Amino acid sequence: MDWALLIGSGVLEAVWATALGASHGLRRLRPTLLFLLTTVLSVWGLAVAMQTIPTGTAYAVWTATGASLTVVWAMARGTEPATLVRILLLLGIISCVVGLRVVS
């Protein structure tokens, strides 16, 4: 259950990062409100998951999930290039996180 909560919190990290970018410096109301809500929920989920998952592993999974999904979303929307090298590097991040899960 805590692993699912941790992954969900990582997804919310991608949402808040994207909303933060869309808020234009916290000057647009809707993206700013989405940023604030998802930030609180994301950090709360991380905190709960860290009760049973080691801190280093939980934080690495949380940040890697959020960062990877943020980049994938930007590639899908066409705001960042989807090159082979970038995709391979993202797969490397994901592989490392899966490795942390396997050995924890």
Side-chain angles (χ1 to χ4, degrees):
M1 178 65 180
D2 286 335
W3 281 99
L5 182 60
L6 181 61
I7 297 299
S9 295
V11 171
L12 288 175
E13 184 187 3
V15 174
W16 71 247
T18 302
L20 180 60
S23 75
H24 296 285
L26 303 177
R27 288 178 285 173
R28 295 180 60 214
L29 182 61
R30 282 189 172 151
T32 298
L33 292 175
L34 181 62
F35 161 72
L36 293 171
L37 175 65
T38 55
T39 299
V40 170
L41 292 173
S42 179
V43 173
W44 172 82
L46 173 64
V48 171
M50 286 173 61
Q51 292 177 2
T52 60
I53 300 170
T55 300
T57 300
Y59 185 70
V61 169
W62 182 70
T63 57
T65 301
S68 298
L69 288 175
T70 302
V71 173
V72 168
W73 178 251
M75 287 179 182
R77 296 192 63 208
T79 56
E80 292 192 26
T83 65
L84 177 61
V85 172
R86 291 172 64 92
I87 292 168
L88 290 174
L89 290 169
L90 283 171
L91 290 173
I93 291 170
I94 294 164
S95 298
C96 289
V97 169
V98 169
L100 283 173
R101 167 62 175 114
V102 168
V103 299
S104 69

